[in-house]
Amino acid sequence: MKNISIALILISSLLLVSANSYGAVTSVGEINVAGQKEGVVPASSTVPLLVTLVIDRSLAEPGEEIKTIEITMPRGFLTQTSFFRGILRDGNQIVARAVVSGGSVLRVELADVIVDFQNSLYEITFECQTPNTLIPDAVFRARLRNLQDSPIGEFIRPGQADGKLNNDDFTLQVIPNVPPAPVIGFTAEADKTGENDVTLRWQKSTDPDVNGYLIYRDKDDSTIQVENRSSTTFRDVNVPPGNHTYQITAYKTRHLQSERSPIQTVNVSPDTAAPEPPTMLSIVPSSDGVEVLWKPSVSRDVRAYQVLFGSGSGEPEPLANGRISEVKTEYRFIDDRPLSIGSFTYAVIAIDEEDNASAPVKKKLRIFDKPYPNPFTPLSPDEDFNRIVFPARALEETSGEFTVLIFDIDGMLVKTLTALPGETELIWDGRDEAGEIVESGVYVYQLQVGESFKTGTLIVAK
């Protein structure tokens, strides 16, 4: 029994040491070729590499202060001190020097030891010579070292660190240093409908190592990257008016691409085409005001949206604070002005980079102090007449829960409507609690806000 107890103690101690060897500093990281997302490098070349680390020191213990970040490269990968390009912490350059051991171990020694308890993003950039042999999985390793140059925990775990869709681990693939064949069938055609766009077409590359295409407009720095090897078309939007030249290459990596295609020249006219209108406009009265909600236009050159407002039968005019330029997947504008009883129109237009405006998409807002329309027709296709709206303002200077009870002429409860917080209107579509449309006739409603209530009659006409 004594020997068993000693053995258990030894095993427990070993497990404790093993657990502690990971340390309280936790990290994940990845390696990428700068400017690329595929995690692929050509053999026998020099490429810029970017190592991204998320280092969490929120639970750091004494002895886990970070002095050095060490990167060990796989066989055949080599670097040197002059290849070190710098290190960023949370986007800011920090002072460090590079020490290279054996050509394959890069030690980034920080001028200021990291002793705070923050969670930070580190980006290390350096150039590296790739091996002359093909490697399907070349594994890099990174680890942290303290003031005594002892390792802090195990090697850093691979994982998503830079928030981008790219190579989310410490592995690169070495492929043949042979450029793909030139792209064939490349054409460029200016838009003929008034847009200042150019449509580019080509034949798909048959090289399985091709990752996409690079399109050059006018100058080398005007490059468009198409990240799908199966693509055969691209639309260049908002091209400045005038003559432009285009060429295309297929690429395996940014450093390994085909010869450029023959030059295509097009003349682009000024943009005179109005964009498509916004979509899915809705108007929602609330306690904060009137919410105007819409989805973006399908046109790709929209640069802003303008909210318009009109009362009565007049045409809506732009609201002074109703221009929105941000790019969003859905839009929300609140008109917090107090509106009196009456009929109003809200509209939204899309505006492109040349101030061409779309046709307005419109919605009416009716504000009454009693239910409307009355009578109403549930079977009508017109939403202005196929439902009845109960306004909370039918009861003045009240607050509290807003509900509407609807009874038939015999006093039987037909429907209960309860507003959500902030809602100032309740809508009845003529259906009972079972979802069936009620019979034509006279119904009694009780509208209640807080402790105050009001009753009246309404007519359902099928």
Side-chain angles (χ1 to χ4, degrees), residues 65-321:
E65 300 81 10
I66 302 172
K67 173 62 178 176
T68 302
I69 301 176
E70 184 180 84
I71 300 167
T72 302
M73 290 170 281
R75 178 177 297 179
F77 285 81
L78 298 173
T79 190
Q80 50 188 289
T81 302
S82 60
F83 283 5
F84 176 63
R85 295 291 175 258
I87 177 171
L88 301 179
R89 182 183 183 186
D90 296 328
N92 301 310
Q93 191 82 33
I94 59 176
V95 179
R97 73 172 186 139
V99 177
V100 176
S101 174
S104 62
V105 178
L106 172 65
R107 291 167 51 89
V108 180
E109 298 181 352
L110 308 178
D112 296 320
V113 179
I114 305 299
V115 296
D116 56 55
F117 296 93
Q118 297 180 10
N119 187 333
S120 295
L121 177 72
Y122 294 82
E123 298 167 283
I124 301 169
T125 307
F126 63 100
E127 292 184 356
C128 182
Q129 296 172 343
T130 63
N132 57 13
T133 56
L134 307 186
I135 305 176
D137 296 299
V139 180
F140 289 69
R141 296 190 297 176
R143 75 187 321 168
L144 309 176
R145 291 186 176 274
N146 63 14
L147 279 165
Q148 290 73 41
D149 205 33
S150 297
I152 303 173
E154 297 295 310
F155 288 103
I156 294 174
R157 301 189 311 275
Q160 170 61 260
D162 61 6
K164 300 177 183 178
L165 295 175
N166 51 19
N167 185 48
D168 297 331
D169 59 28
F170 283 119
T171 302
L172 295 178
Q173 179 187 6
V174 183
I175 63 174
N177 195 349
V178 178
V183 178
I184 60 176
F186 182 60
T187 62
E189 181 182 12
D191 186 87
K192 295 182 176 64
T193 65
E195 293 283 1
N196 56 333
D197 300 343
V198 175
T199 300
L200 307 166
R201 296 183 175 88
W202 61 91
Q203 292 185 26
K204 183 179 71 172
S205 171
T206 58
D207 189 329
D209 288 332
V210 164
N211 284 299
Y213 306 89
L214 296 173
I215 298 168
Y216 296 89
R217 186 180 77 194
D218 298 331
K219 299 179 181 179
D220 288 357
D221 56 357
S222 299
T223 309
I224 302 161
Q225 185 167 355
V226 181
E227 299 177 344
N228 184 344
R229 66 174 302 271
S230 297
S231 297
T232 58
T233 184
F234 180 83
R235 191 173 180 87
D236 194 10
V237 179
N238 294 341
V239 180
N243 287 321
H244 296 278
T245 62
Y246 287 88
Q247 290 178 283
I248 189 172
T249 69
Y251 73 88
K252 296 181 180 180
T253 76
R254 277 286 190 140
H255 308 279
L256 191 61
Q257 52 184 288
S258 70
E259 294 181 2
R260 296 190 186 186
S261 65
I263 293 175
Q264 299 292 312
T265 302
V266 293
N267 182 267
V268 180
S269 301
D271 184 358
T272 59
E276 292 296 317
T279 60
M280 300 181 67
L281 177 67
S282 63
I283 308 298
V284 182
S286 71
S287 57
D288 296 327
V290 178
E291 291 186 74
V292 184
L293 308 167
W294 69 92
K295 295 281 190 179
S297 163
V298 296
S299 299
R300 289 179 286 185
D301 60 348
V302 170
R303 292 295 176 266
Y305 294 92
Q306 176 67 53
V307 180
L308 303 92
F309 173 82
S311 59
S313 59
E315 284 298 312
E317 298 291 334
L319 288 173
N321 61 339

Side-chain angles (χ1 to χ4, degrees), residues 261-457:
S261 65
I263 293 175
Q264 299 292 312
T265 302
V266 293
N267 182 267
V268 180
S269 301
D271 184 358
T272 59
E276 292 296 317
T279 60
M280 300 181 67
L281 177 67
S282 63
I283 308 298
V284 182
S286 71
S287 57
D288 296 327
V290 178
E291 291 186 74
V292 184
L293 308 167
W294 69 92
K295 295 281 190 179
S297 163
V298 296
S299 299
R300 289 179 286 185
D301 60 348
V302 170
R303 292 295 176 266
Y305 294 92
Q306 176 67 53
V307 180
L308 303 92
F309 173 82
S311 59
S313 59
E315 284 298 312
E317 298 291 334
L319 288 173
N321 61 339
R323 189 179 179 97
I324 299 176
S325 301
E326 296 92 341
V327 177
K328 302 179 179 179
T329 55
E330 56 185 5
Y331 291 83
R332 177 175 180 260
F333 172 81
I334 297 182
D335 184 4
D336 58 4
R337 300 172 302 161
L339 298 178
S340 59
I341 293 172
S343 179
F344 307 95
T345 300
Y346 283 92
V348 180
I349 58 174
I351 303 170
D352 68 14
E353 82 287 356
E354 293 295 332
D355 284 334
N356 298 312
S358 73
V361 55
K362 300 179 180 180
K363 278 283 185 179
K364 286 189 176 295
L365 172 67
R366 296 178 175 87
I367 299 179
F368 297 118
D369 58 357
K370 57 184 178 182
Y372 65 92
N374 190 8
F376 77 105
T377 307
L379 297 179
S380 170
D382 190 341
E383 68 176 21
D384 288 338
F385 300 99
N386 62 13
R387 56 186 189 163
I388 185 167
V389 180
F390 297 93
R393 68 168 60 201
L395 293 170
E396 298 290 342
E397 298 181 357
T398 59
S399 62
E401 187 179 34
F402 174 27
T403 59
V404 172
L405 304 178
I406 299 170
F407 303 88
D408 64 20
I409 200 67
D410 296 321
M412 298 294 293
L413 180 63
V414 172
K415 186 71 174 180
T416 299
L417 306 172
T418 303
L420 297 172
E423 285 187 322
T424 59
E425 292 183 345
L426 284 170
I427 297 173
W428 185 42
D429 60 2
R431 298 179 184 272
D432 59 21
E433 297 291 4
E436 302 292 334
I437 295 178
V438 300
E439 297 296 329
S440 299
V442 177
Y443 291 81
V444 178
Y445 68 84
Q446 176 179 296
L447 186 153
Q448 184 166 347
V449 179
E451 300 298 323
S452 302
F453 66 90
K454 180 178 183 178
T455 60
T457 59

